[in-house]
Amino acid sequence: MIFNTLLPSIVFQEVPGEISLCFSITGCDIGCNGCHSTELWKKENGTFLNEETFEYWLNKYQNLISCVVFFGGEWQPSQLISLLCIAQSRGLKTCLYTGRKYIDLSISHHLDFLKTGKWDAALGGLDSDTTNQVFMNVKTGETLNHLFNSQGVQHAAA
Ligand code: SF4
């Protein structure tokens, strides 16, 4: 089954305090109004991300990154979990950005951080006091939205 990613990139703001390698998985079917990552809607976009290519990217950035973040991919839990397990086995933290309100427990067991909630321009992103989105530490259950308030992050993707 297709599990494609756009070209991974290093990001600094999506997971506060971490340097993350970010994989944007295509095939998002949530359809948020005003989505500014519509290239993620079509599952054929990007290139196939399997265990081998994932390890390639981790090797390329080893010693530079402390975390791996996925924008989407929860629609294929088994594939996502297998990659999360690889990241964890290397001592990396893991994060998922999803537009859904809830995800499978089988996925969250492999996450350190989770951002939930659709993009709603009227409510704003994680840096907005009125946002519907939640960024949390999965291990402690603590909501960490306050860490985004001064960063100006308006991340809508997944
Ligand atoms: S979840 Fe993210 S990528 Fe998907 S439609 Fe919403 S904003 Fe766009």
Side-chain angles (χ1 to χ4, degrees):
M1 196 183 277
I2 292 178
F3 192 84
N4 282 3
T5 181
L6 302 185
L7 194 63
S9 58
I10 299 281
V11 297
F12 297 94
Q13 295 187 323
E14 278 69 5
V15 184
E18 307 290 342
I19 300 171
S20 302
L21 185 58
C22 176
F23 294 86
S24 297
I25 307 301
T26 58
C28 179
D29 61 0
I30 296 174
C32 301
N33 220 347
C35 169
H36 36 83
S37 304
T38 52
E39 69 276 17
L40 295 179
W41 291 14
K42 197 173 176 186
K43 67 180 186 300
E44 290 79 15
N45 285 348
T47 55
F48 187 48
L49 183 66
N50 59 15
E51 286 80 356
E52 189 180 350
T53 51
F54 185 64
E55 298 251 26
Y56 163 82
W57 287 110
L58 295 188
N59 288 337
K60 186 175 170 80
Y61 290 105
Q62 68 178 347
N63 301 325
L64 291 175
I65 58 171
S66 58
C67 184
V68 171
V69 57
F70 285 89
F71 289 166
E74 67 277 10
W75 43 86
Q76 285 193 48
S78 61
Q79 183 67 14
L80 179 60
I81 288 169
S82 72
L83 302 183
L84 291 171
C85 287
I86 291 172
Q88 288 181 310
S89 73
R90 289 170 168 245
L92 295 167
K93 292 182 180 167
T94 56
C95 177
L96 172 67
Y97 270 59
T98 175
R100 302 177 201 277
K101 198 167 180 183
Y102 304 105
I103 60 164
D104 289 357
L105 268 180
S106 60
I107 297 175
S108 56
H109 284 155
H110 296 281
L111 294 174
D112 292 289
F113 303 100
L114 173 65
K115 177 250 135 189
T116 55
K118 291 178 75 165
W119 167 250
D120 184 332
L123 300 177
L126 288 170
D127 62 337
S128 165
D129 290 339
T130 58
T131 190
N132 60 306
Q133 299 184 326
V134 176
F135 185 93
M136 67 181 295
N137 181 322
V138 179
K139 306 295 186 201
T140 65
E142 185 185 5
T143 299
L144 299 175
N145 284 34
H146 62 280
L147 297 178
F148 291 80
N149 289 344
S150 59
Q151 294 186 6
V153 174
Q154 284 198 316
H155 213 292

